[in-house]
Amino acid sequence: MKAEYINPFLESARIVLEQLINVRPTTGQLGIKDVKFVESHIWIQIGMTGQMEGDIVFGLHEEVALKLVSAMMGGYSVTEMDEMSQSAISELGNMISGNATTILYNQGVRVDITPPKLIQTAAAAGFAPTRALTIPLMMDQIGQLDIKVLIT
């Protein structure tokens, strides 16, 4: 696992979050952590193919997801992860990943991404718990979004 794999996703997340919800996230400590699917958390899984193979997983508490979706909808209060909220939070992961592939392309790395898969239970994850390069992003008044890179 190489630390530079996470940089395009970190840069992309900062750009997308600033543009979309007008919040500049701060970065936590980079580390290798177990990917554990915890109840009350939402996971957005994006597959990668090409010169980088694996998955990018964005993890956040459901409460943080609701705040993000509310901010994405211009402040409209969102209180449940209904179909519209699930679509919005999935699209956030898609936007971050799509932007990161552009950054990677400009660095000479050719990759494609799969559509986002929203995971709300451990049983739906579809892959065994593993270790991943992880970096948390903290957003004032919203909470934490973890970026987990599972690239081979």
Side-chain angles (χ1 to χ4, degrees):
M1 237 180 287
K2 297 182 182 176
E4 62 264 19
Y5 287 163
I6 206 166
N7 290 334
F9 294 92
L10 182 58
E11 181 181 344
S12 176
R14 284 184 183 143
I15 292 166
V16 169
L17 290 167
E18 274 188 57
Q19 291 175 346
L20 199 59
I21 63 169
N22 203 27
V23 169
R24 184 172 182 86
T26 57
T27 307
Q29 184 66 39
L30 175 67
I32 296 177
K33 297 184 181 171
D34 290 329
V35 177
K36 293 180 185 171
F37 293 93
V38 194
E39 295 307 313
S40 300
H41 274 67
I42 293 175
W43 308 90
I44 307 151
Q45 177 184 3
I46 310 275
M48 296 194 66
T49 60
Q51 289 180 278
M52 290 170 64
E53 297 278 333
D55 292 296
I56 302 300
V57 179
F58 302 96
L60 62 166
H61 193 278
E62 188 172 317
E63 193 175 291
V64 174
L66 291 170
K67 288 179 184 179
L68 275 171
V69 171
S70 292
M72 290 170 70
M73 294 184 176
Y76 174 78
S77 179
V78 178
T79 57
E80 67 175 308
M81 284 305 293
D82 58 12
E83 195 173 314
M84 178 66 83
S85 300
Q86 291 174 14
S87 177
I89 206 69
S90 294
E91 185 55 26
L92 176 65
N94 198 42
M95 292 168 69
I96 293 169
S97 299
N99 198 25
T101 61
T102 300
I103 294 168
L104 287 164
Y105 180 85
N106 290 335
Q107 294 173 354
V109 180
R110 308 296 183 255
V111 293
D112 286 315
I113 58 172
T114 64
K117 177 181 176 183
L118 188 71
I119 302 166
Q120 291 183 280
T121 64
F127 59 89
T130 186
R131 295 177 69 72
L133 195 57
T134 304
I135 193 158
L137 289 178
M138 280 73 75
M139 299 165 284
D140 286 342
Q141 310 296 312
I142 294 177
Q144 181 173 312
L145 169 71
D146 290 330
I147 303 173
K148 299 177 180 294
V149 178
L150 296 93
I151 301 293
T152 55

